Amino acid sequence: ETGVTQSPTHLIKTRGQQVTLRCSSQSGHNTVSWYQQALGQGPQFIFQYYREEENGRGNFPPRFSGLQFPNYSSELNVNALELDDSALYLCASSLGDDREDTQYFGPGTRLTVL
Amino acid sequence: AQTVTQSQPEMSVQEAETVTLSCTYDTSENNYYLFWYKQPPSRQMILVIRQEAYKQQNATENRFSVNFQKAAKSFSLKISDSQLGDTAMYFCAFMSPNFGNEKLTFGTGTRLTIIP
């Protein structure tokens, strides 16, 4: 157990809808990163939040947005869902103030878009 | 941009044997970090081992060790005395320490099955 939690565990949405995924970071960690893992592939970096500011973004469209709260928990929002958004969404937290940080992952949210 | 390649999509080995998973990467940076993560069927990504590029000594964690060859950009994982609980997907990952670019770049994974 890493201490990183995610909710919900599973989610089913229809194309065009909007979804919010949540992540609570490990105690003491101020950085949260989000990844999308399609079936049979390695995770792809979406973006990272450090002390409530976006600190890097991968090759994802603007309909993927995020937020980090003062307690360092985070949300991932996806608007106008597409079928290809079906994936496992992983969040990872890290200490953040040390550039050598290791990222510790939560159990993931499985999103299915119909 | 960094890339990570895992050329073995699947491997299987008898329980108690030793297995080595391969990983190569491409980067122009001199300082970086490499990781092996394990993802069992429960799907939670679990850190196995970490290596700093500036350290010449190969990292070890109990039954897990790496062979880090910086010049060859190779980072293989050796699992000794394999156990049934080692059955999982294994991902090699690269991370730059540069602020604003601290993302993990993953390979496509190797599915490892330990046979009783």
Side-chain angles (χ1 to χ4, degrees), chain A residues 37 99-100 102-103 105, chain B residues 33 37 39 44 50 102:
Chain A
Q37 186 178 19
R99 299 280 71 81
E100 303 181 1
T102 296
Q103 296 185 12
F105 284 82
Chain B
Y33 305 95
Y37 282 90
Q39 189 176 40
Q44 178 143 12
R50 157 196 166 121
E102 294 137 319

Side-chain angles (χ1 to χ4, degrees), chain B residues 41-94:
Chain B
S42 65
R43 81 193 186 198
Q44 178 143 12
M45 198 74 77
I46 300 166
L47 176 68
V48 174
I49 202 164
R50 157 196 166 121
Q51 174 79 44
E52 292 86 353
Y54 61 85
K55 291 187 178 178
Q56 292 185 337
Q57 187 172 7
N58 289 325
T60 62
E61 285 289 341
N62 301 314
R63 299 183 294 108
F64 300 88
S65 61
V66 298
N67 183 5
F68 173 50
Q69 301 289 329
K70 191 174 183 180
K73 295 180 182 176
S74 170
F75 183 61
S76 61
L77 175 69
K78 184 171 85 171
I79 306 174
S80 303
D81 185 27
S82 56
Q83 301 175 359
L84 297 179
D86 296 333
T87 292
M89 282 291 290
Y90 285 80
F91 291 96
C92 178
F94 172 102

Side-chain angles (χ1 to χ4, degrees), chain A residues 10-30:
Chain A
H10 297 90
L11 203 52
I12 299 175
K13 291 286 188 178
T14 57
R15 195 169 49 181
Q17 284 189 313
Q18 178 265 342
V19 68
T20 297
L21 310 182
R22 294 177 175 84
C23 172
S24 291
S25 59
Q26 188 167 313
S27 177
H29 287 186
N30 57 26

Side-chain angles (χ1 to χ4, degrees), chain A:
Chain A
E1 294 294 325
T2 62
V4 181
T5 61
Q6 291 186 245
S7 63
T9 304
H10 297 90
L11 203 52
I12 299 175
K13 291 286 188 178
T14 57
R15 195 169 49 181
Q17 284 189 313
Q18 178 265 342
V19 68
T20 297
L21 310 182
R22 294 177 175 84
C23 172
S24 291
S25 59
Q26 188 167 313
S27 177
H29 287 186
N30 57 26
T31 299
V32 172
S33 304
W34 286 92
Y35 295 85
Q36 180 195 65
Q37 186 178 19
L39 197 62
Q41 298 183 21
Q44 298 290 318
F45 175 72
I46 303 175
F47 44 57
Q48 182 182 88
Y49 280 85
Y50 169 67
R51 294 187 178 276
E52 303 179 59
E53 297 288 332
E54 187 177 289
N55 179 42
R57 185 179 182 93
N59 188 26
F60 280 81
R63 59 189 185 84
F64 285 78
S65 63
L67 197 59
Q68 188 177 33
F69 300 98
N71 67 354
Y72 303 130
S73 65
S74 178
E75 288 183 353
L76 164 65
N77 298 290
V78 188
N79 294 321
L81 283 167
E82 300 177 0
L83 297 179
D84 286 348
D85 296 333
S86 294
L88 179 67
Y89 288 85
L90 298 167
C91 85
S93 76
S94 50
L95 281 168
D97 294 323
D98 179 348
R99 299 280 71 81
E100 303 181 1
D101 290 334
T102 296
Q103 296 185 12
Y104 297 93
F105 284 82
T109 294
R110 171 74 66 190
L111 172 64
T112 301
V113 182
L114 302 176

